[in-house]
C-alpha cells in the first residue's frame, strides 16, 4: 500500500512515473509547461544553443512572454526581445505572446488556459508559483534549467516538505487575498516556508475567489517556499472550464499525509495589512499604523494584483474622487483581455478622471524596470510583491505593500490609509 502523500508529493510522483516520493528525494520528472520571459529567456537561449540540437521537445509546451521591460524601454531591452522573438519564430513556439497580445505572464497563462489542475509547470521567473491556485505544482527555476527543459521536456526536483494551512471563516470588510498572504508571511517570516510547499485547504477557501487564490499562491516565494498550492474545488473547476480545453487531473492530499507544520487561520479576523520596508514580513494591520505615512506614488497592478477584481475594487474607491495633488497613481491591468474588460465596465474612465496613469500590461516598476521608478527619498505604496532595498528604484527609496483597496484609498488620502477613512465600508457590510 502506498504511503500517504501531500498534494505536491502526488503531482511530483505522477510526473516522475513513481508510486511514491518523499521529502528530500531527488527526482527527474516530465513537465507540462516551460515558461520564460524577456529577461530570463535570452540566457536560456544561449545555453540551449550549446546543447547542439535543432528542435525543442514540444513547441506547444513552451510559453515565452516578453513582459518585464516591454514595450522596449531601451536598446538593451530591445535586443533582448529581438533575440527571444527570433528564437520563437525559428522553433515555431506556439505560445509566444508578442507585445499587443501579451500580458504579465502569471496572469496571462491561466487566462489562456495553458495551466490546469495536476500540471507540473516550471518557469524562469520566481513567481511561477502563482499557478498553484489551480491545483498545479508550479515553481521557479533558473535559465539553464529552462534551456534543458526546452530540449528534453524534463527537469530535476528535490521533493519539498509541506506546511498545511487550514483556512476557515469568511473574509470581512476590505480584506482580500493580499491581506491573507501578507498576514501569513508576517506570521512565519520570509524564510518561514524555506524550500517547502505551502498547501491550502479548509472551509475558508469558499470565501476566496480565484483572483484571491492567484494572489496568495503568487507570494509563496516571499515566504521562501518552493511552491504554493490550493486544493481543487468547484471554483477551480469552473475557472478551468471557462479558460481551457486541456484535460486535467485532481490530486488531493491524503488525510494522514505528513506536514512539517500545520496552521489554522480564521480569515474573518484578518484586517487589511501593509508590509513596511524592506521585507514582506514587516507587516502591520491598517489599525496598527498610528502615524501618517505620506507617499509619493501608488502602483496598482503586477502579477500579484492587477486582475479584474483588483481593478474593480480600485475603481469603486476612486470613482468620483481625485488622486491627491502631487501624488502619482499608476495602474497596470495585467492582460489585454483584462484591460478590455475594464474599458467595457468604465473602470479606465474612472481611473483617468481620478488623475491616474493607466499603462499597457507590463511588469514595469515592480522590479525597478520602467514606468514608475522612484527617486532618492521617495515612498511608494504598491500592490506588488516585493519591497527590498532599491526594488522600485533608488536605494534610498521605500516601498510599502498592500491590497488594491488600501492602495486606492491611499492615493486619494495622500498617506497610507483605509477606504474607511473615506467613509466607505467593505462589500460585506
Amino acid at each position: 500500500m502506498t504511503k500517504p502523500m501531500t498534494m505536491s508529493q502526488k503531482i511530483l510522483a505522477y510526473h516522475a512515473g513513481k508510486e511514491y516520493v518523499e521529502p528530500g528525494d531527488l527526482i527527474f520528472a516530465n513537465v507540462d509547461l516551460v515558461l520564460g520571459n524577456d529577461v530570463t529567456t535570452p540566457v536560456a537561449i544561449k545555453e540551449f544553443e550549446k546543447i547542439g540540437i535543432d528542435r525543442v521537445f514540444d513547441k506547444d509546451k513552451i510559453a515565452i512572454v516578453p513582459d518585464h521591460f516591454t514595450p522596449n524601454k531601451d536598446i538593451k531591452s530591445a535586443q533582448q526581445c529581438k533575440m527571444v522573438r527570433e528564437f520563437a519564430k525559428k522553433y515555431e513556439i506556439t505560445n509566444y505572446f508578442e507585445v499587443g497580445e501579451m500580458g504579465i505572464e502569471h496572469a496571462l497563462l491561466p487566462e489562456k488556459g495553458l495551466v490546469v489542475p495536476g500540471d507540473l509547470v516550471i518557469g524562469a521567473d520566481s513567481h511561477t508559483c502563482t499557478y498553484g491556485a489551480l491545483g498545479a505544482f508550479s515553481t521557479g527555476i533558473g535559465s539553464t534549467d529552462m534551456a534543458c527543459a526546452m530540449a528534453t521536456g524534463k527537469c530535476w526536483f528535490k521533493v519539498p516538505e509541506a506546511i498545511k494551512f487550514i483556512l476557515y471563516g469568511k473574509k470581512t470588510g476590505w480584506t482580500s487575498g493580499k491581506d491573507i498572504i501578507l498576514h501569513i508571511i508576517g506570521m512565519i517570516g520570509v524564510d518561514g516556508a524555506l524550500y517547502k510547499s505551502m498547501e491550502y485547504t479548509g472551509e475558508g477557501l469558499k470565501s476566496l475567489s480565484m483572483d484571491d487564490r492567484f494572489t496568495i499562491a503568487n507570494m509563496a516565494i516571499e515566504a521562501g517556499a518552493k511552491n504554493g498550492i490550493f486544493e481543487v474545488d468547484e471554483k477551480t473547476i469552473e475557472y478551468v472550464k471557462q479558460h481551457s480545453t486541456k484535460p486535467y487531473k485532481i490530486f488531493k492530499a491524503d488525510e494522514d499525509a505528513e506536514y512539517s507544520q500545520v496552521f489554522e487561520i480564521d480569515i474573518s479576523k484578518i484586517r487589511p495589512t501593509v508590509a513596511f520596508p524592506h521585507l514582506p514580513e514587516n507587516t502591520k494591520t491598517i489599525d496598527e499604523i498610528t502615524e501618517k505615512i505620506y507617499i509619493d506614488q501608488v502602483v496598482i497592478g503586477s502579477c500579484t494584483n492587477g486582475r479584474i477584481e483588483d481593478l474593480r475594487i480600485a475603481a469603486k474607491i476612486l470613482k468620483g474622487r481625485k488622486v491627491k495633488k502631487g501624488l502619482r497613481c499608476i495602474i497596470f491591468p495585467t492582460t489585454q483581455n483584462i484591460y478590455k474588460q475594464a474599458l467595457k465596465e468604465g473602470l479606465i474612465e474612472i481611473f483617468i478622471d481620478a488623475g491616474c496613469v493607466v499603462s499597457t500590461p507590463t511588469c514595469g516598476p515592480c522590479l525597478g524596470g520602467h514606468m514608475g521608478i522612484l527617486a532618492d527619498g521617495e515612498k511608494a505604496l504598491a500592490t506588488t510583491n516585493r519591497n527590498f532595498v532599491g526594488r522600485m528604484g533608488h536605494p534610498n527609496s521605500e516601498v510599502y505593500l498592500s491590497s488594491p483597496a488600501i492602495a486606492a484609498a491611499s492615493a486619494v488620502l495622500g498617506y497610507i490609509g483605509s477606504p474607511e477613512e473615506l467613509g466607505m465600508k467593505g462589500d460585506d457590510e
Side-chain angles (χ1 to χ4, degrees), residues 73 94 194 225 285 345 407 421:
K73 85 176 186 80
T94 306
L194 192 60
T285 67
E345 295 182 18
E421 293 184 57

Side-chain angles (χ1 to χ4, degrees), residues 66-86:
D67 62 354
H68 277 52
F69 292 106
T70 54
N72 302 341
K73 85 176 186 80
D74 55 21
I75 294 171
K76 286 183 178 179
S77 61
Q79 290 297 121
Q80 295 270 86
C81 288
K82 183 183 178 185
M83 179 188 291
V84 169
R85 188 178 301 116
E86 290 174 348

Side-chain angles (χ1 to χ4, degrees), residues 21-202:
V21 294
E22 64 182 16
D25 283 356
L26 293 174
I27 60 169
F28 213 43
N30 296 313
V31 298
D32 295 297
L33 189 67
V34 182
L35 168 68
N37 56 50
D38 52 310
V39 175
T40 57
T41 304
V43 179
I45 290 170
K46 291 175 184 177
E47 295 305 312
F48 178 87
E49 290 172 346
K50 291 178 185 176
I51 298 172
I53 58 174
D54 60 0
R55 58 179 174 78
V56 295
F57 86 102
D58 189 328
K59 64 185 180 68
D60 297 330
K61 292 185 176 182
I62 295 169
I64 301 176
V65 187
D67 62 354
H68 277 52
F69 292 106
T70 54
N72 302 341
K73 85 176 186 80
D74 55 21
I75 294 171
K76 286 183 178 179
S77 61
Q79 290 297 121
Q80 295 270 86
C81 288
K82 183 183 178 185
M83 179 188 291
V84 169
R85 188 178 301 116
E86 290 174 348
F87 177 85
K89 183 178 180 180
K90 178 179 179 180
Y91 293 98
E92 301 178 330
I93 304 301
T94 306
N95 296 303
Y96 167 72
F97 298 99
E98 187 55 89
V99 172
E101 62 180 1
M102 65 72 149
I104 298 177
E105 55 196 321
H106 306 309
L108 185 69
L109 266 55
E111 181 185 277
K112 294 290 186 181
L114 297 180
V115 183
V116 295
D119 275 355
L120 178 54
V121 180
I122 57 172
D125 185 274
S126 60
H127 290 105
T128 301
C129 51
T130 305
Y131 317 128
L134 293 166
F137 184 98
S138 57
T139 191
I141 45 92
S143 294
T144 49
D145 282 332
M146 179 188 174
C148 292
M150 288 196 298
T152 66
K154 298 177 182 291
C155 192
W156 71 275
F157 300 87
K158 180 182 177 183
V159 179
E161 293 181 9
I163 301 175
K164 186 176 186 178
F165 294 88
I166 304 170
L167 307 182
Y168 64 95
K170 184 181 178 183
K171 288 186 302 176
T172 60
W174 292 101
T175 299
S176 68
K178 182 60 162 289
D179 302 297
I180 293 169
I181 188 60
L182 287 177
H183 171 83
I184 289 172
I185 295 170
M187 180 176 68
I188 68 174
V190 292
D191 59 354
L194 192 60
Y195 207 90
K196 294 182 181 179
S197 174
M198 298 175 74
E199 307 206 352
Y200 297 94
T201 184

Side-chain angles (χ1 to χ4, degrees), residues 33 38 75 120-121 124 149 191 193 244 288 294 319 362 383 395-396 428:
L33 189 67
D38 52 310
I75 294 171
L120 178 54
V121 180
D191 59 354
S244 186
E288 294 170 335
Y294 291 93
K319 187 174 184 179
T362 179
T383 67
N396 196 36
D428 67 316

